[in-house]
C-alpha cells in the first residue's frame, strides 16, 4: 500500500482503485495523453459547432448558428442549381411544338426522362408504376392503344392540362353516361339484354336471344355515343365496346352494374400545378409508352 493509503497491485506495482472481483484488482492506470488531448479537442469542436451551426432546440425553433446555414437552405440552393441547368432545355420545350421537340434527339430524350420523373410523382397513384391502370377502380391503361379522348400528342396534352370531369377547370373534358337503372330509364331485364348485346360486340360469351332482344335498345340508347358497332367515340370520351379492353370489367354482372348506375372517373387539371414544359414532358413520356397514336 502506498503512503497515501491507496492499495497497490503486488504483481505490477500499480496503484489500484480498490475494486476487486474474484481476487482480480482493477488497476488505476492513467489514460494515454493522446487520448485525453483528443477528448478535449472533441469538446472544443462541439462548442465551436454549437456557435456556428443549428444545434439546440428551443421552445419555438432551434438555434440558427452564426453562419446561418441549414440543411433546408442547402437543399433549396441545390434545387435552384438543378433548375438553372435545366432551364435552357425547359424553355425550348415550352416554346417548340411536339414535332420540333421530337426532331431534336437530345431534347426529346431529356423530355421523356424528365416526364417519367413527373409521372412517378403524380400519376402512378392511379395509373400504376407501369401505367397499366386499374380495372378495379376504372383508371385507364396508358400503355395500350385504346384511348377515351384520343392518343395523339395534342390530345394527351389537352387531357393532362385540363383533366376529366373536374370542377376546377372549365375546359376539363366532360362526358356523362345516364344511370339507366337508377333513373328507371330501362328495366332490369332490358339492362341485362343490353349487357348481352355489349358482350356480343366483342365476341364474348353471351345469351344469343338476350343479345338480339337488347339490340334495339342498344341502337336507341347507346349507339349515339358508343357507335352502332360499339366502336366508341373519342369526341365524347365514349369507350369502344367491340374490343378486348374494358375500363370496369367485361363480366356480365360488371357490365350490368355499369349500365344500371355507371361509375365515371375524374382526373385533376395539371395546368394548375405544372408549367407548360412539364406538361409537355409528361405528354411525351405517356405517348412513348407504346400506345400513343
Amino acid at each position: 500500500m502506498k503512503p497515501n493509503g491507496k492499495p497497490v497491485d503486488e504483481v505490477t506495482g500499480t496503484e489500484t482503485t480498490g475494486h476487486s472481483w474474484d481476487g482480480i484488482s482493477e488497476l488505476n492506470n492513467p489514460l494515454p495523453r493522446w487520448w485525453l488531448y483528443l477528448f478535449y479537442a472533441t469538446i472544443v469542436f462541439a462548442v465551436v459547432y454549437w456557435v456556428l451551426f443549428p444545434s439546440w432546440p428551443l421552445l419555438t425553433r432551434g438555434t440558427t448558428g452564426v453562419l446561418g446555414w441549414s440543411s433546408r437552405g442547402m437543399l433549396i440552393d441545390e434545387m435552384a442549381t438543378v433548375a438553372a441547368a435545366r432551364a435552357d432545355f425547359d424553355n425550348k420545350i415550352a416554346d417548340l411544338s411536339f414535332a420540333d421537340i421530337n426532331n431534336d434527339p437530345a431534347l426529346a430524350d431529356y423530355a421523356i426522362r424528365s416526364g417519367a420523373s413527373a409521372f412517378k410523382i403524380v400519376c402512378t397513384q392511379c395509373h400504376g408504376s407501369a401505367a397499366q391502370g386499374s380495372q378495379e377502380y376504372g383508371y385507364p391503361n396508358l400503355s395500350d392503344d385504346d384511348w377515351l379522348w384520343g392518343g395523339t400528342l395534342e390530345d394527351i396534352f389537352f387531357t393532362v392540362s385540363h383533366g376529366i370531369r373536374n370542377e376546377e377547370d372549365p375546359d376539363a373534358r366532360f362526358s356523362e353516361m345516364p344511370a339507366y337503372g337508377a333513373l328507371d330509364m330501362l328495366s332490369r331485364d332490358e339492362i341485362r339484354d343490353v349487357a348481352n348485346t355489349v358482350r356480343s360486340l366483342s365476341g364474348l360469351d353471351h345469351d344469343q336471344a338476350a343479345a338480339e332482344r337488347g339490340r334495339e335498345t342498344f341502337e336507341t340508347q347507346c349507339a349515339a355515343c358508343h357507335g352502332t358497332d360499339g366502336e366508341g367515340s373519342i369526341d365524347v370520351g365514349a369507350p369502344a365496346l367491340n374490343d378486348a379492353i374494358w375500363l370496369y370489367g367485361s363480366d356480365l354482372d360488371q357490365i350490368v352494374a355499369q349500365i344500371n348506375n355507371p361509375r365515371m372517373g375524374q382526373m385533376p387539371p395539371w395546368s394548375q400545378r405544372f408549367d407548360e414544359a412539364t406538361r409537355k414532358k409528361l405528354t411525351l413520356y405517356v405517348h412513348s409508352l407504346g400506345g400513343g397514336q
Side-chain angles (χ1 to χ4, degrees):
M1 182 174 293
K2 285 189 174 182
N4 59 10
K6 294 185 177 180
V8 176
D9 178 60
E10 295 181 359
V11 176
T12 63
T14 304
E15 179 183 305
T16 71
T17 63
H19 301 151
S20 179
W21 296 271
D22 297 331
I24 301 175
S25 299
E26 180 183 12
L27 303 183
N28 188 21
N29 284 318
L31 291 169
R33 288 294 178 184
W34 67 266
W35 194 97
L36 282 174
Y37 293 150
L38 183 62
F39 175 67
Y40 296 148
T42 61
I43 296 175
V44 174
F45 176 84
V47 173
V48 173
Y49 188 95
W50 294 343
V51 174
L52 297 179
F53 297 98
S55 304
W56 290 94
L58 304 176
L59 291 178
T60 57
R61 56 177 299 178
T63 57
T64 58
V66 298
L67 294 182
W69 179 92
S70 70
S71 57
R72 183 180 294 274
M74 182 179 69
L75 174 62
I76 292 174
D77 291 342
E78 290 180 353
M79 291 179 66
T81 301
V82 173
R86 293 177 174 176
D88 185 46
F89 274 137
D90 287 344
N91 290 336
K92 287 182 179 179
I93 289 173
D95 294 337
L96 295 176
S97 66
F98 285 114
D100 291 334
I101 295 172
N102 282 326
N103 286 333
D104 185 333
L107 190 61
D109 180 69
Y110 163 77
I112 292 173
R113 291 177 181 272
S114 183
S117 298
F119 186 91
K120 292 175 182 177
I121 295 173
V122 299
C123 305
T124 57
Q125 294 85 346
C126 295
H127 294 286
S129 58
Q132 74 275 14
S134 170
Q135 195 173 88
E136 180 180 359
Y137 298 106
Y139 298 132
N141 185 342
L142 304 179
S143 59
D144 58 26
D145 58 359
D146 207 49
W147 296 86
L148 291 175
W149 300 94
T152 67
L153 286 165
E154 290 73 19
D155 290 333
I156 298 173
F157 180 74
F158 189 93
T159 302
V160 168
S161 298
H162 302 290
I164 297 172
R165 300 187 192 93
N166 62 72
E167 297 180 356
E168 292 83 10
D169 192 321
D171 293 323
R173 297 191 185 278
F174 192 89
S175 64
E176 192 169 33
M177 178 177 171
Y180 287 100
L183 297 177
D184 294 325
M185 298 175 66
L186 294 175
S187 69
R188 180 180 301 177
D189 290 340
E190 287 175 319
I191 290 175
R192 202 160 190 84
D193 288 346
V194 171
N196 275 282
T197 303
V198 170
R199 282 177 60 83
S200 73
L201 295 174
S202 57
L204 296 174
D205 292 339
H206 58 279
D207 183 323
Q208 183 66 36
E212 292 177 358
R213 290 194 303 268
R215 184 66 198 183
E216 181 178 355
T217 302
F218 181 89
E219 292 175 352
T220 58
Q221 298 291 337
C222 312
C225 294
H226 293 285
T228 304
D229 297 318
E231 66 273 15
S233 171
I234 62 174
D235 293 333
V236 294
L241 304 177
N242 59 0
D243 56 21
I245 300 173
W246 296 84
L247 196 56
Y248 289 102
S250 60
D251 289 348
L252 183 63
D253 290 340
Q254 291 173 322
I255 298 174
V256 167
Q258 187 66 9
I259 297 172
N260 181 65
N261 193 13
R263 293 183 290 170
M264 291 172 284
Q266 293 184 347
M267 176 180 169
W270 294 114
S271 60
Q272 299 180 10
R273 175 169 177 177
F274 292 136
D275 58 22
E276 183 171 359
T278 303
R279 285 180 279 127
K280 280 186 174 181
K281 290 185 288 188
L282 260 175
T283 298
L284 287 161
Y285 171 71
V286 170
H287 190 268
S288 74
L289 293 175
Q293 296 170 353

